[in-house]
């Protein structure tokens, strides 16, 4: 109860602070800095209108600088240093990057991340697109959409716990509570399998969790895009004798290609940052290590801030081109 009250106080202070800031800044501009009275009233109003947007953006810019820009530069600085005895930081240049590249676990995490990048965005977008199309054609489509979207409301750790129970293994002879092992034995399997310890397959089983979560996100966005397609184009295709498959793949999909790309890249960014699922289900064991979990191990378990920061910079470098490409596409569509 005490924590709930504290949370409400923080919300009230935050919202009240924002309202107070904007109210006070308007008064300051209009009555003190550039008063809309006197012989220069017109020029002052013009100047006030030029400054006002930047004044409103100032808190956001400060927050971005404090919580985004500064950590990037600080992490880069740490990646070029090594902690010595007595908490002394020594400049070592690119030595941390060389050590990181030489570690088998880093190469394993890069290989697994590339696999995640190929499989998860493709399947999540595909399932989301199919769900968006099919649920619009049935009466209980809204209920189906709600069920498909529901995993988005679950945290990654919560979803990992659910799927870990699905993959659960009990000794032979005992009742299997894991659905996958129960089905496997029912279809004639000889013994229950420890699914999360089987190399390659265990990565695919982890990917299923993220696909399950992100398919609902893809479905909602793509469903809105499908509904925005002009009916005239579909009616014209029907009159020309196109079948449902041709209408979907040759009429609808090309018209929502931009939305599909946005969904794909958004899920790709999520994949590059995947951490919770791997930590909760395998902790990077059995050849399931990924970059974010590797960074966590180095920073907070091994205490190697140099290599941990270097791996964080690698993640940022992988995400940056996708972000830039998204911004360029968004600006192109606005023209």
């Amino acid at each position: 109860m005490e924590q709930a009250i504290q949370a409400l106080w923080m919300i009230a202070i935050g919202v009240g602070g924002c309202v107070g800031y904007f109210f006070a800044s308007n008064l300051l501009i209009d009555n003190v800095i550039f008063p809309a009275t006197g012989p220069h009233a017109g020029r002052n109003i013009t100047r006030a209108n030029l400054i006002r947007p930047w004044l409103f953006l100032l808190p956001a810019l400060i927050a971005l600088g404090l919580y985004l820009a500064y950590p990037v530069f600080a992490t880069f600085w740490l990646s070029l240093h090594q902690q010595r005895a007595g908490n002394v930081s020594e400049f070592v240049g690119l030595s941390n990057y060389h050590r990181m590249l030489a570690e088998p676990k880093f190469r394993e995490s890069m290989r697994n991340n590339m696999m995640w990048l190929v499989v998860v965005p493709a399947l999540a977008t595909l399932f989301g697109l199919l769900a968006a199309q099919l649920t619009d054609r049935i009466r209980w489509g809204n209920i189906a959409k709600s069920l498909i979207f529901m995993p988005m409301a679950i945290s990654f750790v919560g979803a990992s716990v659910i799927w870990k129970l699905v993959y659960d293994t009990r000794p032979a002879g005992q009742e299997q509570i894991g659905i996958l092992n129960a089905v496997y034995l029912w279809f004639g399997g000889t013994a229950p399998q420890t699914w999360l310890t089987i190399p390659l397959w265990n990565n695919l089983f982890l990917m299923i969790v993220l696909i399950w979560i992100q398919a609902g996100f893809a479905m909602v966005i793509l469903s809105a895009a499908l509904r925005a397609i002009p009916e005239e184009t579909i009616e014209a295709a029907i009159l020309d004798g196109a079948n449902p498959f041709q209408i979907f793949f040759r009429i609808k999909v090309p018209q929502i290609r931009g939305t599909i790309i946005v969904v794909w890249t958004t899920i790709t960014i999520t994949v590059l940052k995947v951490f919770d699922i791997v930590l909760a289900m395998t902790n990077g064991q059995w050849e399931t290590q990924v970059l974010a979990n590797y960074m966590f191990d180095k920073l907070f378990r091994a205490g190697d801030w140099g290599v941990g920061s270097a791996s964080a910079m690698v993640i940022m470098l992988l995400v940056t081109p996708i972000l830039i490409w998204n911004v360029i596409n968004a600006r192109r569509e606005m023209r």
Side-chain angles (χ1 to χ4, degrees):
M1 187 64 183
E2 183 179 347
Q3 292 179 343
I5 294 173
Q6 288 179 353
L8 290 174
W9 268 112
M10 292 303 296
I11 293 171
I13 292 171
V15 173
C18 290
V19 173
Y21 169 78
F22 292 131
F23 181 75
S25 61
N26 269 319
L27 286 179
L28 184 66
I29 291 177
D30 295 333
N31 298 321
V32 179
I33 301 177
F34 297 116
T37 55
H40 303 295
R43 187 171 60 181
N44 285 348
I45 291 173
T46 303
R47 289 177 176 177
N49 289 335
L50 289 174
I51 292 176
R52 200 184 315 275
W54 293 103
L55 197 61
F56 287 173
L57 285 172
L58 184 62
L61 293 174
I62 292 174
L64 284 174
L66 186 62
Y67 295 105
L68 186 63
Y70 170 72
V72 169
F73 289 109
T75 302
F76 179 67
W77 184 88
L78 285 172
S79 72
L80 302 177
H81 290 73
Q82 185 67 37
Q83 296 294 120
R84 301 298 185 188
N87 250 354
V88 177
S89 180
E90 178 185 347
F91 180 79
V92 293
L94 298 177
S95 175
N96 289 320
Y97 292 89
H98 292 154
R99 288 198 297 126
M100 178 183 67
L101 293 172
E103 289 193 9
K105 271 294 181 182
F106 174 75
R107 294 196 293 271
E108 175 191 312
S109 65
M110 283 293 292
R111 183 177 65 250
N112 288 337
N113 263 96
M114 292 305 108
M115 192 189 310
W116 280 72
L117 284 174
V118 171
V119 175
V120 175
L123 291 183
T125 305
L126 176 62
F127 290 148
L129 181 59
L130 291 176
Q133 172 65 15
L134 296 175
T135 52
D136 282 340
R137 299 174 65 89
I138 56 178
R139 291 182 180 179
W140 47 279
N142 289 334
I143 298 174
K145 284 181 180 179
S146 300
L147 294 174
I148 296 170
F149 186 75
M150 197 176 294
M152 280 292 294
I154 305 173
S155 69
F156 281 12
V157 174
S160 301
V161 171
I162 292 170
W163 281 90
K164 199 169 185 179
L165 291 173
V166 172
Y167 302 139
D168 185 73
T169 303
R170 296 293 173 89
Q174 294 187 16
E175 184 179 358
Q176 298 297 319
I177 65 169
I179 296 174
L180 190 57
N181 263 318
V183 172
Y184 173 73
L185 294 176
W186 189 76
F187 275 103
T190 55
Q193 301 292 314
T194 52
W195 304 105
L196 295 179
T197 65
I198 305 173
L200 182 61
W201 288 102
N202 51 10
N203 281 290
L204 296 174
F205 291 138
L206 296 181
M207 293 177 202
I208 288 173
V209 181
L210 190 54
I211 293 169
W212 181 65
I213 295 172
Q214 293 297 316
F217 160 76
M219 177 199 65
V220 170
I221 304 300
L222 295 173
S223 179
L226 287 171
R227 288 176 179 272
I229 295 175
E231 287 292 334
E232 295 81 2
T233 58
I234 299 173
E235 291 172 359
I238 294 172
L239 291 174
D240 289 339
N243 60 46
F245 287 98
Q246 290 173 326
I247 292 173
F248 180 70
F249 288 106
R250 296 187 181 181
I251 305 298
K252 291 185 176 182
V253 170
Q255 293 191 68
I256 63 169
R257 184 179 292 118
T259 307
I260 292 174
I261 291 173
V262 169
V263 170
W264 188 299
T265 52
T266 303
I267 297 175
T268 298
I269 293 170
T270 303
V271 168
L272 284 170
K273 300 182 296 181
V274 67
F275 164 71
D276 317 60
I277 294 171
V278 176
L279 178 69
M281 297 186 74
T282 64
N283 196 21
Q285 301 178 85
W286 308 298
E287 300 180 19
T288 60
Q289 187 68 290
V290 291
L291 282 171
N293 197 63
Y294 173 84
M295 176 192 71
F296 179 82
D297 286 343
K298 286 296 179 182
L299 286 173
F300 302 109
R301 287 180 175 150
D304 192 341
W305 289 85
V307 173
S309 300
S311 61
M313 294 305 299
V314 170
I315 296 173
M316 192 198 74
L317 289 174
L318 291 173
V319 171
T320 301
I322 301 171
L323 292 175
I324 293 173
W325 189 63
N326 261 344
V327 171
I328 292 173
N329 273 345
R331 288 182 176 179
R332 189 180 300 157
E333 289 180 4
M334 290 174 64
R335 292 174 182 173

